[in-house]
Amino acid sequence: MAEIQELTDTELLFHVLSMIAPLGLALRNDLNALVRTDQLPKKHLLLKQGQTARRIYFIKQGFARAFYHDLDGKEHTLWFMGTGDVMISVYSFFTQQPASENIELLEDSVLQSITAQELQDVYTDYSTFNFHGRKLTELYYIKAEERAIMLHCKKPIDRYKLLLKTHPNILQQASLKQIASYLGIELETLSRLRASKDL
């Protein structure tokens, strides 16, 4: 594996959560006791289509994507997530039903996670933490709608510009095929965009 910064504590996770709302000491202590840290290699499939998502992940360091294959076998990338992001298969995690997508690590990564049941227990024990959950869920819905609007209402050049703004290092983190599938364009179109003077 490539060199990964050793970060065994939950400082970054708590920093991200505290930007939503303050975390009490008791809640921090309980989360600390629950959080599992995993160091996983590039190309590791965190979730496979047909499996049920049992854990919610925080990317302490790394980069990932979700993707699926259509009926013709063509691959479609749904999202990219990087350091500081929370990632799950939304439908599978909250319904505990099989996932329709795969989640793949595109870099050697350090992930922190808790199970679906542990999350529900924290919600029960700390009513204020429900606010954090609501805000993270809202963020997911917003990102999903932004992607839908991007694919249907924006020109390919504008989609590409938005991706570069959101993920400035995407060309080093993902393959051109993955980027093209995320943008909903062919590889040839992506090549023309990369050579465009309008960027």
Side-chain angles (χ1 to χ4, degrees):
M1 288 177 61
E3 182 179 351
I4 291 182
Q5 183 182 357
E6 279 298 326
L7 296 169
T8 55
D9 59 50
T10 49
E11 181 180 351
L12 180 58
L13 171 60
F14 287 167
H15 173 72
V16 170
L17 291 174
S18 295
M19 291 177 67
I20 298 173
L23 297 172
L25 181 59
L27 174 55
R28 283 174 176 258
N29 289 338
D30 280 358
L31 284 174
N32 253 327
L34 293 173
V35 167
R36 186 182 84 185
T37 301
D38 294 298
Q39 188 168 306
L40 298 167
K42 179 179 178 179
K43 295 187 178 180
H44 176 80
L45 279 177
L46 202 60
L47 180 69
K48 296 179 182 179
Q49 184 176 353
Q51 291 180 339
T52 299
R54 305 293 186 190
R55 308 187 75 86
I56 181 169
Y57 291 91
F58 173 75
I59 305 178
K60 189 161 201 175
Q61 187 173 335
F63 200 68
R65 70 167 181 141
F67 69 97
Y68 71 95
H69 293 94
D70 63 23
L71 294 176
D72 296 322
K74 186 174 181 179
E75 186 176 287
H76 301 269
T77 296
L78 294 168
W79 50 251
F80 295 108
M81 294 284 186
T83 299
D85 286 329
V86 174
M87 66 175 179
I88 50 172
S89 167
V90 176
Y91 172 82
S92 180
F93 182 80
F94 287 112
T95 65
Q96 287 299 284
Q97 297 296 314
S100 298
E101 75 272 40
N102 308 275
I103 297 180
E104 177 188 24
L105 300 181
L106 299 181
E107 296 179 346
D108 294 343
S109 301
V110 178
L111 306 178
Q112 294 183 316
S113 66
I114 61 174
T115 68
Q117 186 57 57
E118 288 169 340
L119 179 62
Q120 293 305 317
D121 291 343
V122 174
Y123 284 154
T124 299
D125 293 341
Y126 297 93
S127 59
T128 55
F129 195 62
N130 284 268
F131 180 74
H132 294 82
R134 191 187 88 200
K135 285 298 182 182
L136 289 172
T137 302
E138 287 175 1
L139 179 62
Y140 253 92
Y141 274 109
I142 290 169
K143 286 186 175 183
E145 184 167 325
E146 285 177 341
R147 172 163 163 69
I149 291 172
M150 174 191 76
L151 289 175
H152 291 95
C153 301
K154 291 186 179 294
K155 296 179 181 178
I157 185 84
D158 295 322
R159 297 179 211 166
Y160 185 51
K161 286 179 179 179
L162 181 60
L163 178 61
L164 292 177
K165 181 179 179 181
T166 307
H167 299 290
N169 299 315
I170 191 68
L171 292 171
Q172 290 76 48
Q173 295 169 311
S175 72
L176 295 180
K177 180 180 177 182
Q178 292 163 355
I179 293 171
S181 73
Y182 173 79
L183 295 173
I185 59 177
E186 299 298 326
L187 270 173
E188 295 77 8
T189 304
L190 178 58
S191 295
R192 289 196 296 271
L193 293 180
R194 293 179 66 206
S196 174
K197 295 180 181 179
D198 294 331
L199 288 177

